[in-house]
Amino acid sequence: MLWPLFFLLVPQISVGNPVVNFQEDLLFQPLASLPAANATESFWIDTPGANVLANEGSQGPLTEDADICIIGSGMTGISAAYHLAQAVETINLKESHLQVKVVVLEAREFCSGATGRNGGHLTPYSFFNYREYEGKYGSIEALKSLQLENRTAMAMVSVIEKYTLNDIVDLVAGGHVSLISSEKEYMQLRAEYLAAHRAGLNVGEVEWLKKEDVEVMYGASYPAVKFPAFNFWPLKFVTQLYLLANSSSPQFSLTLHTHTPVTSVAPLESSRIWSVNTARGSVKCSQVLHATNGYASHLLPQFSGKNGIIPTRGQIVAVRADAAVSESWKASWGGLDHYWFPRPMNGSDSGLEVEKEQHVDHPLVLLGGGRHIGGPAFEQFETDDSVVNTALGEELRGFLPETFPSMFKKGQTPEMEWTGIMGYTTMSDPFVGPVVEDMKAEAETGLYAGQYISAGYSGHGMPRAFSCAEAVADMIIAAIQDKPWSPLQWLPERYLTTNRSQKKN
């Protein structure tokens, strides 16, 4: 039974029964398409100067041979390249002979999938959903699930701080404020918090705010809970990861080809066992990583349908605040089936259609969510991000003026509006590991030996993808060295593809 997936876009616990169970009744659940050629313009991608690698490697000859081919240049694909580079450097400090050649293939511009089209949040879920995890998977898996998110966020922040990238990626450590819609939700969140705390989870500094306090501090008439979190410019972070990986070691070669959609992956009878095929030619390689998230089933049909990865369209608007905001308001936000945050005024958005001097303390706010307006399918099985949903756009336009009436003007036209494709699973957890032949309980990997996947983050990829990419990079390095892979203690066991089945995935 499938939970209403729009709940999972923001830090909100799953309560009650599913609103819909439409997937059970769908007779036709198509394979994902390739990404649309003419996607809507995203703030992250289309702000002038933001995407310096946009068309890298799109002209000239295609790389014909590599040890590893990564399909997708978003957070997962480039994080994997970064972790591979780090691993090669570490190994060569001891053995000094491992050389690895990696090629990254991207269907459109660099980082133009979900990572370049999301809400800009880096929000580990602190204690949210702990009791659900514990009830389904036991206390150890429940702890791993939430610890992984904190591990991921802090590892990313560590990279940012190590290489002094704070200003480049517009990192803001303002925490996350989640508005609470009802007394019932408040009590359930308190129960989640207490259960996680009793289990020994480090939930960080959690602050419970009364409705009256929220009204005074923030201007909304709801109680709230605040916990540690960040926001940033995801595409710029991924860009820096690529540049770091590309300059890491002479023993590690990294090449990027944008505007090069992969049409198929076929076996070879040679030392390179896979041919990754594109309209520009083919790349022969030994290992393939599918970092394609919502588009995964285009190349891997076994990941189609409700038991695989469901492509799901999300929508974002960029709205200018109509009043100055306090320093405390400059956090990331969630709750009420939405998520939003104000761009830092000293960041890289010096105005889109409004002159800079007109919005001195009036930040641009990026808002998403509300997919329940998109109809009974919640925008699922959608791969077209070249269009927006008009009804959902109207709902987004009305949300901030209704929630913060003193700060946002009704009827204001967004400065930008765009869509992006996420990948959901029925467990809300990603598939990480070797590509399996099917979704049966005893899944085999033989026909796909040498292929890996990390995808299906269910709208919550930023605090998980960097670590999941590290896990598959670790598997690939083990395979290259012809060594057995040892499971990583911090990775939830249920994420592994070989542990998933039709009943659990």
Side-chain angles (χ1 to χ4, degrees):
M1 184 170 286
L2 184 65
W3 288 91
L5 298 180
F6 71 88
F7 276 135
L8 302 170
L9 278 172
V10 294
Q12 178 171 338
I13 58 173
S14 300
V15 295
N17 294 317
V19 174
V20 294
N21 194 23
F22 75 96
Q23 282 86 352
E24 298 292 345
D25 301 320
L26 283 181
L27 298 178
F28 178 61
Q29 297 171 358
L31 302 182
S33 68
L34 281 169
N38 54 336
T40 50
E41 291 191 354
S42 154
F43 170 85
W44 308 116
I45 299 170
D46 295 291
T47 294
N51 197 356
V52 296
L53 296 173
N55 303 308
E56 181 78 11
S58 60
Q59 302 294 322
L62 181 71
T63 302
E64 295 182 350
D65 180 84
D67 297 297
I68 305 162
C69 184
I70 298 173
I71 307 172
S73 66
M75 184 64 76
T76 297
I78 303 305
S79 293
Y82 172 81
H83 291 302
L84 288 166
Q86 295 290 299
V88 169
E89 186 174 11
T90 299
I91 290 167
N92 284 333
L93 288 175
K94 302 175 182 178
E95 303 174 16
S96 301
H97 69 272
L98 181 64
Q99 296 196 21
V100 174
K101 185 178 181 181
V102 178
V103 63
V104 178
L105 301 176
E106 170 57 53
R108 302 186 295 201
E109 292 181 334
F110 178 74
C111 197
S112 56
T115 303
R117 317 187 71 79
N118 65 17
H121 293 234
L122 178 55
T123 305
Y125 272 2
S126 186
F127 57 87
F128 287 78
N129 300 316
Y130 176 81
R131 290 187 302 165
E132 180 182 346
Y133 291 145
E134 185 180 53
K136 288 182 177 179
Y137 314 117
S139 59
I140 293 176
E141 279 285 289
L143 289 169
K144 281 186 179 182
S145 301
L146 294 169
Q147 288 169 342
L148 173 101
E149 298 190 15
N150 187 63
R151 175 193 190 274
T152 303
M154 298 317 298
M156 293 167 68
V157 171
S158 178
V159 171
I160 292 169
E161 293 180 343
K162 178 180 179 180
Y163 295 101
T164 321
L165 303 175
N166 302 58
D167 292 340
I168 293 175
V169 304
D170 290 346
L171 180 70
V172 177
H176 185 93
V177 180
S178 186
L179 299 181
I180 301 172
S181 62
S182 66
E183 180 67 20
K184 178 181 179 181
E185 184 186 353
Y186 180 89
M187 296 304 295
Q188 290 173 323
L189 285 172
R190 288 288 298 181
E192 296 284 349
Y193 170 78
L194 292 172
H197 188 71
R198 283 194 298 267
L201 184 68
N202 181 4
V203 298
E205 296 182 7
V206 176
E207 184 179 3
W208 298 90
L209 303 170
K210 297 179 180 179
K211 175 182 175 181
E212 296 78 15
D213 296 329
V214 175
E215 286 179 328
V216 172
M217 295 173 64
Y218 302 115
S221 298
Y222 296 92
V225 59
K226 184 175 182 179
F227 53 91
F230 306 87
N231 53 64
F232 70 139
W233 196 306
L235 180 147
K236 290 188 176 182
F237 175 76
V238 171
T239 299
Q240 293 303 313
L241 283 185
Y242 179 85
L243 297 175
L244 289 168
N246 201 29
S247 61
S248 62
S249 164
Q251 285 77 38
F252 184 81
S253 168
L254 179 61
T255 305
L256 168 65
H257 291 290
T258 61
H259 300 281
T260 308
V262 175
T263 54
S264 66
V265 180
L268 293 171
E269 294 183 2
S270 67
S271 58
R272 297 297 196 197
I273 60 176
W274 295 108
S275 175
V276 179
N277 303 315
T278 80
R280 297 175 61 190
S282 299
V283 183
K284 296 178 181 179
C285 56
S286 301
Q287 317 287 334
V288 180
L289 171 58
H290 296 261
T292 48
N293 207 30
Y295 301 100
S297 65
H298 181 74
L299 296 173
L300 300 170
Q302 65 269 46
F303 285 90
S304 65
K306 63 185 178 63
N307 291 317
I309 297 173
I310 303 167
T312 304
R313 185 169 58 203
Q315 191 158 322
I316 306 284
V317 295
V319 180
R320 185 71 58 181
D322 195 47
V325 301
S326 65
E327 192 66 29
S328 61
W329 209 87
K330 298 173 184 177
S332 67
W333 291 78
L336 313 181
D337 300 334
H338 294 76
Y339 52 95
W340 63 101
F341 86 95
R343 288 278 304 131
M345 293 306 298
N346 61 345
S348 304
D349 64 313
S350 57
L352 296 171
E353 296 180 356
V354 183
E355 294 298 323
K356 187 173 182 179
E357 60 269 19
Q358 290 181 294
H359 55 76
V360 175
D361 290 316
H362 298 191
L364 190 70
V365 178
L366 307 188
L367 166 72
R371 283 192 295 109
H372 55 288
I373 299 298
F378 296 105
E379 296 286 86
Q380 295 175 13
F381 296 102
E382 292 283 358
T383 59
D384 187 1
D385 57 7
S386 70
V387 296
V388 298
N389 183 310
T390 303
L392 177 50
E394 289 301 313
E395 197 277 345
L396 291 173
R397 285 160 172 77
F399 177 78
L400 290 173
E402 291 173 5
T403 309
F404 301 95
S406 64
M407 296 174 57
F408 294 90
K409 185 187 301 182
K410 288 185 178 180
Q412 184 174 352
T413 301
E415 295 188 18
M416 295 187 80
E417 183 172 15
W418 67 90
T419 51
I421 307 304
M422 302 168 285
Y424 275 78
T425 70
T426 55
M427 283 175 62
S428 303
D429 295 318
F431 290 93
V432 180
V435 170
V436 294
E437 294 178 10
D438 53 45
M439 295 296 139
K440 293 180 180 178
E442 300 298 329
E444 299 293 336
T445 62
L447 291 178
Y448 292 86
Q451 292 195 47
Y452 300 83
I453 187 170
S454 185
Y457 300 105
S458 303
H460 195 50
M462 290 303 96
R464 297 197 281 185
F466 185 79
S467 287
C468 291
E470 181 179 354
V472 289
D474 195 56
M475 296 176 195
I476 291 170
I477 286 292
I480 288 175
Q481 294 184 290
D482 197 24
K483 294 180 179 179
W485 179 70
S486 299
L488 302 167
Q489 293 303 307
W490 47 261
L491 184 71
E493 292 182 4
R494 69 183 186 281
Y495 283 20
L496 292 172
T497 52
T498 49
N499 289 341
R500 303 283 272 270
S501 70
Q502 288 183 343
K503 294 181 179 179
K504 296 180 179 179
N505 64 350

